[in-house]
Amino acid sequence: MKVLLATSKPFAVEAVEGIQHIIESAGHELVKLENYDTRSQLLEAVKDADALIVRSDVVDSSVITAAPRLKLIIRAGAGYDNVDLAAASLGNICVMNTPGQNANAVAELVFGMMIYMQRNHFDGSIGRELRNRSLGLYAFGHVAKGVARIARGFDMPVHAYSPTLTHDDLRKEGEYGVITAYSNDELFRNSDFLSLHMPLLKETWHCVNYSLLSLMPEDGLLINTARKELVLEEDLIRIMEERPRFQYVTDIRPDHHEEFVKKFGTRYFATPRKSGAQTTDANKNAGIAAANQVVAFFESGDDRFRVN
Ligand code: 3PG
């Protein structure tokens, strides 16, 4: 089988070596399209691929149409909003992600970002500490669980809310040392810092709006390492205009980036390029998991992480 690794944001060399070793040891061929910058390169490369491994690369119906042999798409990462699941299903293509594999990298970044904001971008001015400040986790998947674990070391009380968890799940959340909230209102009201961890779905699109943000304290901090579309940017700008100490830090540059920079100075920061999963460790974890899933799929039809 021909396996295409198409990553416009390439994996670390060690991760690619690991992927190559696993794919080739199983008797398949690995073709690499790394650091590419045009859609036409992807459309050309995918045309004889049996399997495709991607990161945030957009796999829409044009990619699927260009790949008549394609049977499997692996999103080496958590969020698969970049893959057109309906088009894949229509083409009888299995789509999987690699849940949890890059979660620790993102969880660590949350703390790096919180400290950076509380210390005013390390500009030497007087900042604040994390200890005893309450941290709210909106959704409670792999990344949020990692954040909850690390937060213990910072002596931060952690609140969590997920619309998809049952009462039993919520009881289990208690095992992570978190205080469970029973509504998003309750979560936002109890959080000095609020970190977003839900996938981008039509139900979560623009779910962080003025009415929720206004429940946070005057000097609240919103942390977004998930997806920019979760936040209604106009509402966030309004809150930050009304509250001169409210902060926003994000790993995904918002559409209104220039306006945030101009209006809010050090109360705002966006990474130049999404970097949550950009560690050698996370690249190796997600990349090697993806390669193993490709091999298992072609060996035995194993599709345990299927999402479509
Ligand atoms: C994910 O969904 O796994 C993260 O957002 C990381 O995405 P990336 O592989 O594009 O860095």
Side-chain angles (χ1 to χ4, degrees):
M1 297 287 174
K2 193 177 252 189
V3 182
L4 174 65
L5 174 67
T7 48
S8 64
K9 185 168 64 177
F11 275 140
V13 174
E14 293 94 321
V16 178
E17 285 169 355
I19 294 168
Q20 183 143 18
H21 177 71
I22 291 165
I23 297 293
E24 290 180 354
S25 302
H28 306 301
E29 182 190 350
L30 183 75
V31 178
K32 291 177 273 186
L33 177 68
E34 297 180 279
N35 222 356
Y36 67 95
D37 35 41
T38 65
R39 297 284 300 158
S40 55
Q41 289 172 279
L42 176 59
L43 296 177
E44 174 63 24
V46 82
K47 68 179 189 219
D48 56 352
D50 297 285
L52 173 62
I53 300 176
V54 291
R55 295 185 65 176
S56 296
D57 310 73
V58 173
V59 184
D60 58 14
S61 56
S62 70
V63 176
I64 287 164
T65 309
R69 280 171 48 179
L70 203 59
K71 298 157 197 65
L72 176 63
I73 299 166
I74 310 261
R75 194 295 192 221
Y80 45 86
D81 46 291
N82 53 319
V83 181
D84 185 334
L85 296 187
S89 299
L90 214 59
N92 209 16
I93 297 165
C94 171
V95 183
M96 296 192 230
N97 66 349
T98 63
Q101 298 294 343
N102 56 21
N104 185 65
V106 183
E108 286 189 11
L109 183 68
V110 169
F111 289 86
M113 287 179 141
M114 287 195 292
I115 292 173
Y116 186 62
M117 296 307 285
Q118 293 301 289
R119 298 304 181 103
N120 308 320
H121 299 206
F122 305 132
D123 68 359
S125 62
I126 291 178
R128 295 188 69 178
E129 299 174 26
L130 303 189
R131 185 167 58 170
N132 295 332
R133 312 285 296 285
S134 63
L135 172 61
L137 304 176
Y138 197 174
F140 205 66
H142 292 283
V143 178
K145 289 184 171 83
V147 173
R149 176 177 47 78
I150 299 168
R152 288 187 203 172
F154 281 91
D155 285 335
M156 300 178 84
V158 180
H159 299 254
Y161 169 71
S162 167
T164 57
L165 290 176
T166 64
H167 283 281
D168 272 356
D169 297 325
L170 287 167
R171 261 200 296 281
K172 277 191 229 123
E173 279 182 38
E175 292 165 19
Y176 290 89
V178 303
I179 304 150
T180 56
Y182 284 86
S183 68
N184 49 8
D185 277 22
E186 188 185 330
L187 182 76
F188 277 69
R189 196 172 295 115
N190 289 319
S191 301
D192 294 316
F193 303 156
L194 196 295
S195 190
L196 305 177
H197 296 293
M198 67 284 271
L200 177 62
L201 305 165
K202 63 177 184 320
E203 296 82 3
T204 59
W205 174 275
H206 286 178
C207 65
V208 179
N209 56 22
Y210 185 83
S211 67
L212 275 181
L213 291 167
S214 62
L215 299 170
M216 289 182 70
E218 291 288 319
D219 59 352
L221 166 63
L222 179 69
I223 305 128
N224 188 358
T225 54
R227 293 292 181 269
K228 71 173 177 183
E229 296 87 349
L230 300 173
V231 178
L232 188 47
E233 290 178 19
E234 288 82 357
D235 283 15
L236 175 58
I237 289 169
R238 183 175 158 205
I239 282 283
M240 291 180 73
E241 282 170 345
E242 288 173 6
R243 299 181 178 188
R245 289 187 298 151
F246 199 96
Q247 297 178 312
Y248 182 47
V249 63
T250 178
D251 191 27
I252 319 94
R253 186 181 267 240
D255 294 334
H256 294 76
H257 171 73
E258 304 303 338
E259 188 177 347
F260 276 101
V261 171
K262 203 164 144 233
K263 287 187 168 160
F264 307 121
T266 54
R267 290 199 285 134
Y268 164 77
F269 177 72
T271 52
R273 196 174 190 189
K274 186 155 69 110
S275 51
Q278 278 300 64
T279 66
T280 304
D281 318 69
N283 285 182
K284 277 164 68 182
N285 290 342
I288 286 168
N292 281 326
Q293 286 170 225
V294 169
V295 171
F297 179 81
F298 286 123
E299 239 166 46
S300 63
D302 185 347
D303 65 351
R304 83 184 70 174
F305 297 112
R306 186 170 191 140
V307 295
N308 67 330

